[in-house]
């Protein structure tokens, strides 16, 4: 080992829920030059990687191997010899049926430094999210972790079916879905009671979690009827009977609902996070992109001449974002805005302005003319110069109403909303297979661009049975103009309002 040799972190990426990643694992990902990740590692974890990091997928599922284990081992060695820091992400814990021990041995034999970062194993997490404690004083005080798929090259099986059958331990099998008939038959042949409770938990801890229960005698038929496939954990033992009482994860109000998020990817995280917490499985199909204007000169010019203005009005969080980014890029800071009064459309825009230590003087709740007039009725706006940084194709109500009040309004393009069709094939496939429960719309542009992704002749049939949720009346009006009536409209025109409306719809049936 030389001074310029890198290091490999064998990291337990957890069972699927990105929130179960350890702090140390996150720190290792953030500093890595190379991130090598598995099929079972949550893709959200890659967001912690630095922009210059090389991301390498080496997933293996159902015999389909992107790279063989020997190939993965060599990959780690080669990058480490080039002086790189490698974050090797393995689902669950690297030393619990994760072949992390084998990778560590190879690294050691090649003189490569490594560290092991333990992770939350699915053997504990998946049953917990299904409401099954793997130990319980009234049921069992010990547990066995067992592979459901032994190394096919082993000459003699190490499976002690007679021991497993006689034990009252909770039995947890990894990677055993295909071998489920073999597993239950062996246990029953060795005397395990046919009415022993069994559960299979697929995609445990994620919004795709699916749990099937039964007994040794019925579980194979139940799993077949549910069409459950790997990856799944098999739990066998009396503790499974506690699920009816203790299940919590799949009792959340939006559990299992597959909801399309049409918002721009850069803005979708807040909505996705909230919906995930409520149990929804979010499918991100951004229909728009938010970019700086093609010509930034007018915005820069307005900032250069900011002393001319009395009011600065923001209509969206994007306006705030791009205005301040441009301001700082020009070598200025918020001190040049000290003479201004501020107005924001909507509470979230007000919050983003507050991030820069600025309190909005005026807060019209919506773009509706009445809201704008009422908000400005208590201040002297006549003869005042107003700067309005906004999107290229924005609604005209605000500048029109301010102009009627006697203000001198200067509109400047701060950002552009452009169509995005990257997820079109995924969207259409999901709609065709009836695998989408709802679609959310957070602006008029998300509606119009969503509709443009659908084949015109099949649009209505594809959307049949799909719930549509609008953030407010303006977005709803756009939807109606394009031929469909939203099923849900938020009373509060915000992300939280949209989530509340969705939750109410699915919990009350209204």
């Amino acid at each position: 080992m030389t001074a310029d040799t890198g290091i490999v972190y064998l990291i337990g990426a957890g069972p699927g829920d990105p929130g179960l990643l350890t702090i140390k694992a996150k720190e290792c990902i953030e500093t890595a030059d190379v991130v090598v990740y598995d099929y079972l590692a949550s893709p959200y974890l890659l967001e912690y990687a630095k922009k210059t990091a090389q991301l390498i997928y080496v997933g293996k599922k159902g015999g389909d191997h992107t790279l063989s284990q020997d190939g993965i081992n060599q990959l780690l060695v080669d990058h480490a010899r080039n002086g790189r820091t490698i974050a090797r992400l393995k689902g669950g814990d690297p030393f619990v049926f994760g072949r992390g021990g084998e990778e560590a041995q190879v690294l050691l034999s090649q003189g490569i430094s490594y560290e092991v970062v333990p992770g939350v194993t699915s053997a504990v997490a998946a049953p917990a999210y299904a409401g099954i404690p793997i130990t319980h004083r009234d049921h069992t005080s010990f547990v066995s972790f067992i592979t459901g798929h032994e190394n096919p090259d082993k000459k003699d099986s190490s499976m002690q079916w007679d021991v497993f059958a006689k034990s009252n331990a909770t039995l947890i099998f990894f990677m055993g879905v295909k071998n489920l008939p073999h597993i239950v038959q062996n246990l029953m042949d060795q005397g395990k009671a046919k009415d022993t409770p069994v559960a299979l938990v697929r995609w445990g801890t994620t919004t795709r979690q699916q749990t099937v229960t039964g007994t040794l005698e019925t579980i194979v038929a139940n799993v077949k009827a549910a069409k459950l496939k790997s990856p799944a954990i098999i739990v066998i033992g009396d503790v499974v009977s506690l699920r009816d009482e203790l299940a919590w994860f799949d009792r959340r109000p939006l559990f299992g609902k597959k909801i399309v998020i049409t918002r721009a990817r850069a803005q979708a995280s807040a909505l996705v996070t909230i919906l995930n917490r409520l149990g929804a499985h979010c499918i991100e199909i951004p229909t728009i992109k938010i970019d700086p204007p093609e010509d930034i000169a007018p915005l820069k010019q307005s900032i250069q001449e900011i002393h001319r203005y009395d009011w600065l009005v923001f209509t969206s969080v994007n306006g705030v974002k791009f205005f301040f980014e441009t301001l700082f890029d020009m070598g200025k800071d918020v001190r040049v805005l000290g003479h201004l009064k501020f107005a924001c459309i909507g509470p979230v825009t007000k919050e983003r302005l507050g991030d820069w230590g600025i309190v909005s003087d005026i807060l019209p709740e919506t773009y509706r003319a009445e809201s704008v007039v009422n908000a400005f009725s208590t201040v002297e706006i006549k003869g005042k110069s107003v700067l309005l940084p906004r999107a290229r194709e924005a609604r005209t109500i605000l500048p029109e109403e301010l102009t009627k009040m006697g203000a001198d309004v200067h509109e400047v393009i701060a950002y552009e909303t452009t169509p995005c069709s990257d997820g079109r094939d995924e969207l259409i496939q999901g709609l065709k297979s009836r695998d989408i429960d709802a679609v959310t719309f957070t602006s008029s542009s998300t509606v119009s661009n969503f509709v443009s992704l659908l084949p015109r002749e099949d649009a209505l049939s594809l959307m049949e049975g799909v719930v549509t949720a609008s953030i407010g009346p303006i977005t709803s009006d756009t939807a109606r103009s394009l031929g469909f009536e939203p099923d849900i409209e938020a009373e509060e025109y915000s992300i939280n309002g949209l989530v509340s409306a969705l939750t109410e719809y699915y919990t009350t049936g209204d």
Side-chain angles (χ1 to χ4, degrees):
M1 183 168 59
T2 62
D4 59 354
T5 301
I7 184 171
V8 178
Y9 293 98
L10 300 173
I11 300 171
D17 181 348
L20 297 179
L21 188 74
T22 66
I23 293 173
K24 183 171 183 179
K26 176 176 176 288
E27 292 171 347
C28 291
I29 298 170
E30 289 171 337
T31 59
D33 303 307
V34 181
V35 179
V36 179
Y37 62 102
D38 272 351
Y39 171 59
L40 295 177
S42 171
Y44 288 107
L45 304 184
L46 302 179
E47 295 178 6
Y48 295 129
K50 57 188 180 183
K51 292 182 179 180
T52 57
Q54 183 178 358
L55 309 178
I56 303 175
Y57 174 66
V58 293
K60 294 178 281 187
K61 68 170 183 175
D64 181 13
H65 293 195
T66 303
L67 199 62
S68 68
Q69 187 60 52
D70 287 342
I72 295 172
N73 297 341
Q74 192 60 50
L75 183 73
L76 300 177
V77 170
D78 290 344
H79 280 292
R81 282 179 173 164
N82 287 328
R84 295 178 174 177
T85 297
I86 299 106
R88 169 68 170 114
L89 300 184
K90 302 178 72 64
D93 181 276
F95 277 12
V96 180
F97 298 118
R99 304 190 73 171
E102 298 173 42
E103 293 178 8
Q105 287 177 309
V106 170
L107 296 170
L108 183 63
S109 71
Q110 297 298 312
I112 304 297
S113 296
Y114 70 90
E115 291 185 18
V116 179
V117 182
V120 178
T121 173
S122 58
V124 173
Y129 272 53
I132 303 170
I134 59 175
T135 63
H136 190 283
R137 283 198 310 173
D138 296 335
H139 295 271
T140 184
S141 57
F142 56 110
V143 60
S144 297
F145 294 166
I146 310 161
T147 179
H149 183 72
E150 278 194 295
N151 184 343
D153 297 328
K154 290 176 65 175
K155 293 182 180 179
D156 298 310
S157 172
S158 60
M159 304 292 276
Q160 297 178 306
W161 295 107
D162 58 333
V163 175
F164 300 153
K166 292 181 175 67
S167 169
N168 75 333
T170 301
L171 306 178
I172 298 182
F173 289 85
F174 289 71
M175 303 165 290
V177 177
K178 287 185 178 180
N179 290 331
L180 180 63
H182 174 72
I183 291 169
V184 299
Q185 191 61 53
N186 275 310
L187 290 172
M188 288 190 292
D189 287 347
Q190 294 297 324
K192 195 78 170 172
K194 294 180 179 180
D195 61 354
T196 301
V198 183
L200 273 76
V201 186
R202 183 174 192 246
W203 287 118
T205 78
T206 74
T207 54
R208 292 184 287 173
Q209 179 172 302
Q210 180 184 4
T211 304
V212 177
T213 59
T215 64
L216 283 178
E217 189 172 33
T218 65
I219 192 63
V220 172
N222 292 355
V223 166
K224 184 177 180 180
K227 299 180 180 180
L228 186 141
K229 299 178 181 179
S230 61
I233 288 289
I234 303 171
V235 187
I236 302 175
D238 289 342
V239 290
V240 173
S241 64
L242 295 170
R243 169 172 161 76
D244 288 343
E245 177 185 356
L246 301 181
W248 60 274
F249 184 68
D250 43 7
R251 289 178 180 166
R252 295 176 301 165
L254 299 180
F255 182 77
K257 299 301 180 185
K258 296 176 182 177
I259 300 178
V260 170
I261 310 300
T262 57
R263 210 174 194 201
R265 195 174 297 279
Q267 294 182 306
S269 59
L271 179 56
V272 170
T273 298
I274 298 172
L275 290 176
N276 280 347
R277 287 174 181 166
L278 294 171
H281 173 48
C282 295
I283 305 167
E284 294 188 54
I285 309 285
T287 61
I288 59 173
K289 294 187 293 184
I290 309 296
D291 296 312
E294 190 172 319
D295 183 7
I296 196 72
L299 178 58
K300 286 187 173 181
Q301 183 66 28
S302 66
I303 292 174
Q304 192 65 41
E305 299 176 353
I306 198 69
H307 59 277
R308 295 176 42 206
Y309 299 100
D310 303 297
W311 282 83
L312 182 53
V313 180
F314 292 109
T315 61
S316 70
V317 293
N318 290 313
V320 176
K321 174 181 183 292
F322 286 101
F323 178 87
F324 279 94
E325 285 181 356
T326 306
L327 177 78
F328 299 141
D329 285 344
M330 293 173 64
K332 301 180 184 296
D333 60 35
V334 295
R335 287 176 296 179
V336 303
L337 309 177
H339 66 288
L340 292 168
K341 288 189 177 296
F342 294 84
C344 293
I345 299 291
V348 179
T349 305
K350 180 183 178 181
E351 288 177 12
R352 294 291 78 77
L353 182 63
D355 291 341
W356 302 110
I358 300 173
V359 178
S360 181
D361 299 280
I362 295 292
L363 183 65
E365 290 294 332
T366 73
Y367 272 116
R368 291 185 179 278
E370 298 83 359
S371 180
V372 174
V373 171
N374 290 339
F376 279 92
S377 63
T378 59
V379 300
E380 182 55 56
I381 196 71
K382 186 175 182 179
K384 301 298 182 180
S385 184
V386 177
L387 178 61
L388 183 58
R390 60 204 310 233
R392 177 178 295 278
E393 296 180 0
R395 290 171 56 82
T396 60
I397 288 179
L398 182 59
E400 287 175 353
E401 292 304 317
L402 291 175
T403 300
K404 289 178 184 178
M405 295 179 196
D408 177 21
V409 181
H410 177 204
E411 295 183 72
V412 62
I413 299 172
Y415 63 96
E416 297 181 338
T417 300
T418 57
C420 177
S421 59
D422 294 347
R424 183 178 186 272
D425 292 343
E426 181 185 357
L427 171 65
I428 293 175
Q429 181 56 43
L431 292 172
K432 284 183 176 179
S433 61
R434 302 301 177 192
D435 205 30
I436 291 173
D437 295 297
V439 180
T440 59
F441 299 116
T442 55
S443 67
S444 291
S445 57
T446 61
V447 180
S448 56
N449 291 330
F450 175 85
V451 172
S452 72
L453 296 180
L454 304 180
R456 183 174 299 178
E457 64 279 7
D458 298 327
L460 291 178
S461 61
L462 286 173
M463 291 296 291
E464 186 176 347
V466 177
V467 173
T468 52
S470 161
I471 200 168
I474 295 172
T475 303
S476 297
D477 287 345
T478 302
R480 294 185 189 100
S481 72
L482 294 170
F484 65 93
E485 180 71 30
D487 299 286
I488 300 170
E489 181 179 288
E491 293 183 7
E492 175 191 323
Y493 314 146
S494 67
I495 293 301
N496 287 335
L498 181 61
V499 171
S500 295
L502 269 166
T503 304
E504 182 179 0
Y505 179 88
Y506 280 112
T507 54
T508 66
D510 295 333

